[in-house]
Amino acid sequence: MTENNGYASHPDYLPGFMNDPEDGDGRQVVKLRWAESRELEAMSLNRFPSTFSAALDWNSASYEDRLWWDDEEGWVRMASQLLSSYAERGMTVAIFWGNLALPTVTLPADVAIRHAREILDVGPHFWIYPIGASVLIECLLDGQITVAAIPAA
């Protein structure tokens, strides 16, 4: 997909705070251009095999942990647990969406924790990459969260 055929064509589908220039957390969100997103994907998401859908193929790749959330509160708790060490270090995370009509975004990990429910509401199929770390977190519609070490290039 290229910028000309749909990438980031609907940034309005992002959580409201991400599009609100008056929101303190929203001002920390960066919407990536196609080339910037592809660069981060090459360091993280694209190092894993994918299935015929957008999900990653965990039958062909190893992972460190698999978790499940039952409801939005469960997701919020898990997001906090998974991202708190990155937030404590002041790290930024990238969020890749299962729908390329949404731009990939970067934001501080603590902002992602505070807005975990809103992020989930966009569409519960997305990947979180703590930039500079060697971990990818996949979140699927069925409540499954997979945490995996990113393979070397």
Side-chain angles (χ1 to χ4, degrees):
M1 181 171 248
T2 67
E3 286 179 301
N4 296 330
N5 69 0
Y7 173 77
S9 59
H10 287 284
D12 51 307
Y13 292 171
L14 292 170
F17 82 96
M18 290 185 180
N19 288 312
D20 184 352
E22 302 299 317
D23 185 285
D25 286 344
R27 287 193 300 271
Q28 298 181 70
V29 174
V30 176
K31 297 172 193 148
L32 302 184
R33 295 185 313 264
W34 174 250
E36 295 167 321
S37 178
R38 295 295 296 164
E39 188 176 315
L40 282 180
E41 289 170 28
M43 293 187 290
S44 59
L45 188 61
N46 291 347
R47 294 197 183 167
F48 295 93
S50 61
T51 63
F52 63 91
S53 69
L56 298 179
D57 183 1
W58 297 115
N59 291 326
S60 300
S62 62
Y63 57 89
E64 295 176 359
D65 203 1
R66 181 153 288 154
L67 309 164
W68 297 87
W69 51 270
D70 293 321
D71 55 24
E72 288 181 346
E73 288 304 316
W75 158 248
V76 169
R77 280 190 304 279
M78 283 188 192
S80 180
Q81 291 169 351
L82 291 168
L83 299 177
S84 63
S85 67
Y86 305 110
E88 289 168 5
R89 292 181 275 168
M91 292 178 70
T92 297
V93 299
I95 300 177
F96 307 101
W97 308 97
N99 180 346
L100 289 178
L102 295 152
T104 298
V105 297
T106 62
L107 64 161
D110 64 319
V111 174
I113 291 169
R114 278 196 297 279
H115 294 278
R117 178 176 281 127
E118 293 164 83
I119 291 168
L120 180 68
D121 287 344
V122 168
H125 187 174
F126 54 91
W127 299 268
I128 300 174
Y129 167 52
I131 298 173
S134 59
V135 170
L136 184 72
I137 302 164
E138 180 181 58
C139 304
L140 298 179
L141 176 65
D142 64 1
Q144 178 179 291
I145 298 173
T146 305
V147 180
I150 298 171

